Amino acid sequence: MIAPPPGGLRIEQRAAACGRLVLELVGDLDYDTAEQLGEDVLTALDTPGLTALALDCAGLGGCDSMGLAVLLQVRRHTDRAGVRLTLERPPVSLRRLLGLIGTSAHFGVEPV
């Protein structure tokens, strides 16, 4: 696994199956890093033939309210673009947060 920068977020892009792209998140999704994810997703949505975008959250350390806000914004952007969004391997803390605020279903994640 790729180590995150101290107090930051590393986003690695990898192509998967035809029309599918994975963004691997390593580090914290918070006030300081949320904008970076939003920009990277907008760039990814410009990929020709993109039909599915996955956010691999296995390396996600923490997610604050700003991180949650950008995840919801990402969901709106992918919906508008007709691209299916999935959160892969979300840590327990993220599943708990999504469950507490009632947004688990928006991401296909089972709450804790």
Side-chain angles (χ1 to χ4, degrees), residues 2-10 26-28 30 32-33 36:
I2 301 165
L9 178 69
R10 184 174 314 250
V26 180
D28 295 326
D30 56 23
D32 294 324
T33 62
Q36 175 187 354

Side-chain angles (χ1 to χ4, degrees), residues 61-99:
C63 181
D64 69 5
S65 61
M66 195 65 170
L68 179 61
V70 80
L71 286 175
L72 293 168
Q73 182 182 50
V74 163
R75 178 60 195 230
R76 287 190 298 273
H77 288 311
T78 56
D79 284 351
R80 276 193 293 254
V83 172
R84 187 172 60 89
L85 175 67
T86 57
L87 296 184
E88 296 182 348
R89 304 183 308 162
V92 171
S93 58
L94 181 57
R95 291 184 320 157
R96 184 176 297 123
L97 177 61
L98 294 173

Side-chain angles (χ1 to χ4, degrees), residues 1-5 10-14 24-27 59:
M1 175 162 295
I2 301 165
R10 184 174 314 250
I11 302 172
E12 294 291 325
Q13 179 177 316
R14 63 181 191 267
E24 181 181 0
L25 310 180
V26 180

Side-chain angles (χ1 to χ4, degrees), residues 5 20 25 27 29 47 51-52 54 56 60 62 64 75 86 88 102-103:
R20 184 171 181 269
L25 310 180
L29 183 56
T47 303
T51 60
D56 182 346
L60 196 60
D64 69 5
R75 178 60 195 230
T86 57
E88 296 182 348
T103 57

Side-chain angles (χ1 to χ4, degrees), residues 37-66:
L37 177 60
E39 291 171 358
D40 283 10
V41 166
L42 288 176
T43 299
L45 290 175
D46 286 337
T47 303
L50 185 68
T51 60
L53 177 66
L55 301 181
D56 182 346
C57 300
L60 196 60
C63 181
D64 69 5
S65 61
M66 195 65 170

